[in-house]
Amino acid sequence: MKKYLVLCVAALVCFVQMAFAQPQVYTPFVYKQVQPPLPVKPMPPVSANLKPVYIADKDPYVTMMNHTQDLITKSMANCPALKNRYATIVLSAERANNFTANLKWETKYAFKASGFSVERSLSDTFHFIAQNFAPASAGRDIKRDYQLPDHNDYSGISFYRVRQVNFDTSYIYSNIVLVKGYDSLPFRVYPNPALNRVWIEVTTKLTGNATIMLYDASGKILQQQALNCAKGLLTKQSFDISRFGAGLYQVKILMPDKTFVTGKFIKE
């Protein structure tokens, strides 16, 4: 009986030891490769790479700005990229007096331009007719300025544009600009047709002397008379035309402000 009791106690002790024993983890063997040491290259000091710089401030180099700008302009004008740039033309206009409108336009990259046709349309922008032509200025500048007066005695609104004609027969148009009509003055010639005497009525902007001149169809002056006018007041003057031959005659008045007004009448 004692033998069985001793065996049971020994078995219980073994069981307890196995139950509370810590498990061992297997760690695989890893081969570590040893890297060779990097070569160390001695670096030269920074001062060894620096070289002294000497500035000659006694004899500075002088550049002429006008000459430099001229060289730049010529180089740009001969540059193919600039030659292929789209040419532009900008027009402006204003009335100078009752008979003249002043036109000005500016071109850029117009290297192929041979000339400019000035076109005008009266009252609208649909009936442009060539009035004058200006040749292109010599030179290779990128930007060029032009101006040209145009005879315009139209009392209504006029419209202008400029057509740039190129050597290769292509062309471009400028913008369209408006020019107002001249300031019309109360001016009347009556009766018309007339037989023996004609009357002229005119109102001036300034006080002073006006000169009335009568011309025949060939432009020959037949009569001339001074007229004292007051600003804003109607002035009348008559002419004896009984000795004139039948036909068309012109009246031209030099106003106190040195402008002209014209009219016509028929002698029966």
Short mmCIF file of all heavy atoms in Angstrom, two decimals, residues 85-117:
data_model
loop_
_atom_site.label_atom_id
_atom_site.label_comp_id
_atom_site.label_asym_id
_atom_site.label_seq_id
_atom_site.Cartn_x
_atom_site.Cartn_y
_atom_site.Cartn_z
N ARG A 85 5.63 87.74 -86.59
CA ARG A 85 4.61 88.23 -85.67
C ARG A 85 3.50 88.91 -86.47
O ARG A 85 3.73 89.51 -87.51
CB ARG A 85 5.22 89.24 -84.69
CG ARG A 85 6.12 88.63 -83.65
CD ARG A 85 5.35 87.85 -82.62
NE ARG A 85 4.46 88.70 -81.85
CZ ARG A 85 4.83 89.32 -80.74
NH1 ARG A 85 6.05 89.20 -80.27
NH2 ARG A 85 3.96 90.07 -80.07
N TYR A 86 2.29 88.83 -85.96
CA TYR A 86 1.15 89.41 -86.65
C TYR A 86 1.23 90.93 -86.59
O TYR A 86 1.33 91.51 -85.51
CB TYR A 86 -0.14 88.91 -86.02
CG TYR A 86 -1.39 89.43 -86.69
CD1 TYR A 86 -1.78 88.92 -87.93
CD2 TYR A 86 -2.16 90.42 -86.10
CE1 TYR A 86 -2.92 89.39 -88.55
CE2 TYR A 86 -3.30 90.89 -86.73
CZ TYR A 86 -3.67 90.37 -87.95
OH TYR A 86 -4.80 90.84 -88.58
N ALA A 87 1.23 91.57 -87.76
CA ALA A 87 1.32 93.03 -87.81
C ALA A 87 0.03 93.67 -87.31
O ALA A 87 -1.06 93.15 -87.53
CB ALA A 87 1.61 93.48 -89.24
N THR A 88 0.16 94.80 -86.65
CA THR A 88 -0.99 95.53 -86.14
C THR A 88 -0.94 96.97 -86.61
O THR A 88 0.14 97.52 -86.86
CB THR A 88 -1.03 95.51 -84.60
OG1 THR A 88 0.16 96.12 -84.09
CG2 THR A 88 -1.12 94.08 -84.09
N ILE A 89 -2.10 97.58 -86.74
CA ILE A 89 -2.21 98.98 -87.15
C ILE A 89 -3.36 99.61 -86.38
O ILE A 89 -4.48 99.08 -86.37
CB ILE A 89 -2.40 99.10 -88.68
CG1 ILE A 89 -2.61 100.55 -89.09
CG2 ILE A 89 -3.51 98.20 -89.18
CD1 ILE A 89 -2.59 100.75 -90.59
N VAL A 90 -3.07 100.72 -85.70
CA VAL A 90 -4.05 101.41 -84.85
C VAL A 90 -4.24 102.82 -85.39
O VAL A 90 -3.27 103.57 -85.53
CB VAL A 90 -3.60 101.45 -83.38
CG1 VAL A 90 -4.63 102.18 -82.53
CG2 VAL A 90 -3.38 100.04 -82.86
N LEU A 91 -5.48 103.20 -85.66
CA LEU A 91 -5.81 104.48 -86.29
C LEU A 91 -6.53 105.39 -85.30
O LEU A 91 -7.34 104.94 -84.49
CB LEU A 91 -6.69 104.25 -87.52
CG LEU A 91 -7.27 105.47 -88.22
CD1 LEU A 91 -6.17 106.31 -88.85
CD2 LEU A 91 -8.30 105.05 -89.26
N SER A 92 -6.22 106.69 -85.39
CA SER A 92 -6.97 107.72 -84.66
C SER A 92 -7.17 108.90 -85.60
O SER A 92 -6.38 109.12 -86.50
CB SER A 92 -6.22 108.16 -83.40
OG SER A 92 -4.97 108.74 -83.73
N ALA A 93 -8.26 109.66 -85.38
CA ALA A 93 -8.57 110.78 -86.28
C ALA A 93 -9.36 111.83 -85.51
O ALA A 93 -10.08 111.53 -84.54
CB ALA A 93 -9.37 110.29 -87.50
N GLU A 94 -9.25 113.08 -85.97
CA GLU A 94 -10.02 114.17 -85.39
C GLU A 94 -10.18 115.26 -86.45
O GLU A 94 -9.38 115.37 -87.39
CB GLU A 94 -9.32 114.74 -84.16
CG GLU A 94 -7.94 115.33 -84.45
CD GLU A 94 -7.29 115.88 -83.20
OE1 GLU A 94 -7.93 115.84 -82.13
OE2 GLU A 94 -6.15 116.37 -83.29
N ARG A 95 -11.22 116.04 -86.30
CA ARG A 95 -11.47 117.13 -87.25
C ARG A 95 -10.60 118.32 -86.89
O ARG A 95 -10.61 118.78 -85.74
CB ARG A 95 -12.94 117.51 -87.26
CG ARG A 95 -13.26 118.69 -88.18
CD ARG A 95 -14.73 118.82 -88.43
NE ARG A 95 -15.23 117.74 -89.27
CZ ARG A 95 -15.08 117.68 -90.58
NH1 ARG A 95 -14.42 118.64 -91.22
NH2 ARG A 95 -15.56 116.68 -91.27
N ALA A 96 -9.86 118.84 -87.87
CA ALA A 96 -9.02 120.01 -87.65
C ALA A 96 -9.81 121.30 -87.87
O ALA A 96 -9.67 122.26 -87.11
CB ALA A 96 -7.79 119.97 -88.57
N ASN A 97 -10.61 121.34 -88.92
CA ASN A 97 -11.45 122.50 -89.22
C ASN A 97 -12.60 122.03 -90.11
O ASN A 97 -12.82 120.82 -90.26
CB ASN A 97 -10.64 123.61 -89.90
CG ASN A 97 -9.83 123.10 -91.08
OD1 ASN A 97 -10.37 122.46 -91.98
ND2 ASN A 97 -8.54 123.38 -91.06
N ASN A 98 -13.32 122.97 -90.69
CA ASN A 98 -14.49 122.60 -91.49
C ASN A 98 -14.13 121.89 -92.79
O ASN A 98 -15.03 121.38 -93.47
CB ASN A 98 -15.32 123.85 -91.81
CG ASN A 98 -16.07 124.36 -90.60
OD1 ASN A 98 -16.15 123.68 -89.58
ND2 ASN A 98 -16.61 125.56 -90.69
N PHE A 99 -12.85 121.84 -93.13
CA PHE A 99 -12.46 121.25 -94.41
C PHE A 99 -11.43 120.15 -94.29
O PHE A 99 -11.07 119.53 -95.29
CB PHE A 99 -11.90 122.34 -95.34
CG PHE A 99 -12.88 123.42 -95.64
CD1 PHE A 99 -12.90 124.58 -94.89
CD2 PHE A 99 -13.80 123.28 -96.66
CE1 PHE A 99 -13.82 125.59 -95.16
CE2 PHE A 99 -14.71 124.28 -96.95
CZ PHE A 99 -14.73 125.43 -96.19
N THR A 100 -10.93 119.88 -93.10
CA THR A 100 -9.83 118.93 -92.95
C THR A 100 -10.03 118.03 -91.74
O THR A 100 -10.44 118.49 -90.68
CB THR A 100 -8.49 119.67 -92.80
OG1 THR A 100 -8.33 120.59 -93.88
CG2 THR A 100 -7.33 118.69 -92.81
N ALA A 101 -9.74 116.74 -91.94
CA ALA A 101 -9.68 115.77 -90.85
C ALA A 101 -8.25 115.24 -90.78
O ALA A 101 -7.67 114.87 -91.81
CB ALA A 101 -10.66 114.63 -91.08
N ASN A 102 -7.67 115.23 -89.60
CA ASN A 102 -6.30 114.76 -89.41
C ASN A 102 -6.32 113.29 -88.99
O ASN A 102 -6.98 112.91 -88.02
CB ASN A 102 -5.58 115.58 -88.34
CG ASN A 102 -5.21 116.97 -88.84
OD1 ASN A 102 -5.04 117.17 -90.04
ND2 ASN A 102 -5.08 117.92 -87.93
N LEU A 103 -5.57 112.47 -89.74
CA LEU A 103 -5.50 111.04 -89.47
C LEU A 103 -4.10 110.69 -88.97
O LEU A 103 -3.10 111.17 -89.50
CB LEU A 103 -5.79 110.23 -90.74
CG LEU A 103 -7.09 110.57 -91.48
CD1 LEU A 103 -7.22 109.72 -92.72
CD2 LEU A 103 -8.29 110.37 -90.57
N LYS A 104 -4.03 109.84 -87.96
CA LYS A 104 -2.77 109.33 -87.43
C LYS A 104 -2.91 107.83 -87.21
O LYS A 104 -3.94 107.38 -86.72
CB LYS A 104 -2.40 110.03 -86.11
CG LYS A 104 -2.16 111.52 -86.24
CD LYS A 104 -1.79 112.12 -84.89
CE LYS A 104 -1.55 113.63 -84.99
NZ LYS A 104 -1.21 114.22 -83.67
N TRP A 105 -1.87 107.09 -87.57
CA TRP A 105 -1.90 105.65 -87.28
C TRP A 105 -0.51 105.17 -86.91
O TRP A 105 0.50 105.73 -87.28
CB TRP A 105 -2.47 104.85 -88.44
CG TRP A 105 -1.72 104.89 -89.74
CD1 TRP A 105 -0.76 104.02 -90.18
CD2 TRP A 105 -1.89 105.85 -90.80
NE1 TRP A 105 -0.32 104.38 -91.42
CE2 TRP A 105 -1.00 105.49 -91.84
CE3 TRP A 105 -2.70 106.97 -90.97
CZ2 TRP A 105 -0.90 106.21 -93.02
CZ3 TRP A 105 -2.60 107.70 -92.15
CH2 TRP A 105 -1.73 107.31 -93.16
N GLU A 106 -0.51 104.09 -86.14
CA GLU A 106 0.72 103.47 -85.63
C GLU A 106 0.76 102.02 -86.06
O GLU A 106 -0.23 101.30 -85.95
CB GLU A 106 0.77 103.57 -84.11
CG GLU A 106 1.93 102.85 -83.45
CD GLU A 106 1.79 102.78 -81.95
OE1 GLU A 106 2.03 103.82 -81.30
OE2 GLU A 106 1.43 101.70 -81.43
N THR A 107 1.91 101.58 -86.58
CA THR A 107 2.07 100.20 -87.00
C THR A 107 3.13 99.51 -86.13
O THR A 107 4.07 100.14 -85.66
CB THR A 107 2.49 100.10 -88.47
OG1 THR A 107 3.79 100.72 -88.63
CG2 THR A 107 1.49 100.79 -89.37
N LYS A 108 2.96 98.20 -85.95
CA LYS A 108 3.94 97.37 -85.27
C LYS A 108 4.15 96.10 -86.09
O LYS A 108 3.18 95.51 -86.58
CB LYS A 108 3.47 97.01 -83.86
CG LYS A 108 3.49 98.18 -82.88
CD LYS A 108 3.10 97.72 -81.49
CE LYS A 108 3.14 98.88 -80.50
NZ LYS A 108 2.75 98.45 -79.14
N TYR A 109 5.40 95.71 -86.23
CA TYR A 109 5.80 94.50 -86.98
C TYR A 109 5.34 94.58 -88.44
O TYR A 109 5.07 93.55 -89.06
CB TYR A 109 5.23 93.24 -86.33
CG TYR A 109 5.53 93.14 -84.86
CD1 TYR A 109 4.54 93.36 -83.91
CD2 TYR A 109 6.82 92.84 -84.42
CE1 TYR A 109 4.82 93.29 -82.55
CE2 TYR A 109 7.10 92.76 -83.07
CZ TYR A 109 6.10 92.98 -82.15
OH TYR A 109 6.39 92.90 -80.81
N ALA A 110 5.27 95.78 -89.00
CA ALA A 110 4.83 95.95 -90.40
C ALA A 110 6.03 95.93 -91.33
O ALA A 110 6.25 96.85 -92.12
CB ALA A 110 4.04 97.24 -90.54
N PHE A 111 6.84 94.85 -91.25
CA PHE A 111 8.05 94.77 -92.06
C PHE A 111 7.74 94.54 -93.54
O PHE A 111 8.56 94.83 -94.40
CB PHE A 111 8.95 93.64 -91.55
CG PHE A 111 9.31 93.78 -90.09
CD1 PHE A 111 8.93 92.82 -89.17
CD2 PHE A 111 10.01 94.88 -89.64
CE1 PHE A 111 9.25 92.94 -87.83
CE2 PHE A 111 10.35 95.02 -88.30
CZ PHE A 111 9.96 94.04 -87.40
N LYS A 112 6.56 94.01 -93.84
CA LYS A 112 6.21 93.69 -95.22
C LYS A 112 5.35 94.77 -95.87
O LYS A 112 4.93 94.62 -97.02
CB LYS A 112 5.47 92.35 -95.28
CG LYS A 112 6.26 91.18 -94.74
CD LYS A 112 5.44 89.89 -94.81
CE LYS A 112 6.21 88.71 -94.23
NZ LYS A 112 5.40 87.47 -94.28
N ALA A 113 5.07 95.86 -95.17
CA ALA A 113 4.15 96.88 -95.69
C ALA A 113 4.79 97.66 -96.83
O ALA A 113 5.93 98.09 -96.74
CB ALA A 113 3.73 97.82 -94.57
N SER A 114 4.01 97.85 -97.90
CA SER A 114 4.45 98.68 -99.02
C SER A 114 3.76 100.04 -99.01
O SER A 114 4.28 101.00 -99.58
CB SER A 114 4.18 97.98 -100.34
OG SER A 114 2.79 97.74 -100.51
N GLY A 115 2.58 100.13 -98.40
CA GLY A 115 1.86 101.40 -98.35
C GLY A 115 0.55 101.25 -97.62
O GLY A 115 0.17 100.15 -97.18
N PHE A 116 -0.16 102.38 -97.49
CA PHE A 116 -1.40 102.42 -96.73
C PHE A 116 -2.46 103.18 -97.52
O PHE A 116 -2.22 104.30 -97.98
CB PHE A 116 -1.18 103.09 -95.37
CG PHE A 116 -0.08 102.47 -94.57
CD1 PHE A 116 1.22 102.94 -94.67
CD2 PHE A 116 -0.34 101.40 -93.74
CE1 PHE A 116 2.24 102.37 -93.94
CE2 PHE A 116 0.68 100.81 -93.00
CZ PHE A 116 1.97 101.30 -93.11
N SER A 117 -3.61 102.57 -97.68
CA SER A 117 -4.73 103.19 -98.38
C SER A 117 -5.71 103.74 -97.34
O SER A 117 -6.20 102.99 -96.49
CB SER A 117 -5.43 102.17 -99.28
OG SER A 117 -6.57 102.73 -99.89
#
